[in-house]
Amino acid sequence: MSELGRLIARRIALTGPISIADFMAEALGHPRLGYYRTALPLGASGDFTTAPEISQMFGELLRLVELGPGRGTLMADVLRATRAVAGFQDAIDLHLVEINEQMRALQRAALAQATPTWHARLEDVPAGPTLLIANEFFDALPVRQFEKTPRGWVERMVGLAADGETLRLALAPGLTPYAGLLPDAPAGAQAEFSEAGRALAATIGARLRRDGGWALIVDYGHDRGGLGASLQAVRGHRGAGILERPGETDLSAHVDFAALAEATAMPTFGPVGQGDFLRRLGIMQRAETLKKRADAAERRAIDAALARLIAPDQMGTLFRVMAVGDDRSAAPVGFSDTPSDTT
Ligand code: SAH
């Protein structure tokens, strides 16, 4: 059992079983031991300093926001690709929402020229017109799980085995008040529900409605939530039990895009498959251009990467792309076969 596992077991011993969503929030976000935190307190305080003068220019600037930027690779590519857009780089003010100190250090190194500001929550990013991107972020937000019994929907909880310390899944004794939000299903069916995902989508929608802008959400998941339990655990690139070694194990669940779209209360486009999205954006032509200046080994690597990104049996279909916007006049590029800027 991990240290965090023992803490969670103690909490359950004191207060009773907790929901899977609460378990996930602890396992990933516990301030000291969570998987998405670092145990190294190195430089922790420095990251919360905000850029002092930027606040005076809120209204003039475009917030470029990324949720969970990882190593900062996507944003570095965005900045490189937009260098040629007149005025864009001068207008943007880069904000990164990230709770992992080691990731923040990598982002700082990758994005140094753009002088980003880091935040723990989207709510802390200053108001203003916003372009937001989130790649594989929503899949890490806590989900509740439910099982349909002959009596009705019951929540699956994290409790303790008879030894009083081993974590174990068990059904709550009574019917769940979430039943009204779950689909009709036969006994034995399972369902998931992410309050955190819906709340974040609502925050994004409210921000875009108030200040204008666009959000692009990319993740693996379903266009319609439907039934099933998708929560999975990965440790050292291998599947693991979801209750095993919390804090040392990654947990993620399929994203319910219909639920997110509804929560934004804004016009949305897609979701479309990542393969279709990237093809409409011109990834084939881009690959050809890159291959022209590549040697044979590099060309093979480019083809392999291309297949990985767009092939239906790889990331092309399971990964979905959804845009949230403040204007319904035309679908943004990538969401329809006719690019909106050429018709
Ligand atoms: N977008 C990157 C990384 C995805 S992994 C990529 O596609 O490569 C998820 C990222 O979100 C990591 O950087 C992780 O540290 C961060 N993260 C996870 N949960 C978070 C939370 N609740 N708040 C802020 N950042 C979080």
Side-chain angles (χ1 to χ4, degrees), residues 246-265:
E248 296 164 18
T249 306
D250 187 28
L251 296 173
S252 67
H254 280 39
V255 170
D256 175 352
F257 278 97
L260 297 191
E262 184 189 88
T264 64

Side-chain angles (χ1 to χ4, degrees), residues 66 71-83 110-111:
E66 184 169 1
R71 308 173 75 87
T73 310
L74 176 62
M75 188 52 73
D77 287 342
V78 166
L79 294 176
R80 185 170 33 72
T82 52
R83 257 200 312 250
L111 302 167

Side-chain angles (χ1 to χ4, degrees), residues 35 233-240 244-245 248-250:
Y35 179 79
V234 174
R235 192 172 59 251
H237 296 279
R238 306 174 68 142
E244 249 175 70
R245 306 199 70 81
E248 296 164 18
T249 306
D250 187 28

Side-chain angles (χ1 to χ4, degrees), residues 36 66-71 97-100 103 107 120 135-137 140-141:
Y36 278 123
E66 184 169 1
L67 306 181
R71 308 173 75 87
V97 176
E98 174 62 67
I99 55 172
N100 182 310
M103 290 294 184
Q107 293 155 17
N135 189 63
E136 285 203 58
F137 185 81
L141 298 178

Side-chain angles (χ1 to χ4, degrees), residues 62-120:
L62 181 63
R63 312 276 175 244
L64 183 57
V65 180
E66 184 169 1
L67 306 181
R71 308 173 75 87
T73 310
L74 176 62
M75 188 52 73
D77 287 342
V78 166
L79 294 176
R80 185 170 33 72
T82 52
R83 257 200 312 250
V85 182
F88 183 78
Q89 307 254 316
D90 293 337
I92 62 159
D93 172 22
L94 182 59
H95 292 269
L96 307 178
V97 176
E98 174 62 67
I99 55 172
N100 182 310
E101 294 299 336
Q102 286 168 349
M103 290 294 184
R104 284 186 179 197
L106 294 174
Q107 293 155 17
R108 187 174 296 111
L111 302 167
Q113 322 93 302
T115 56
T117 309
W118 281 267
H119 306 274

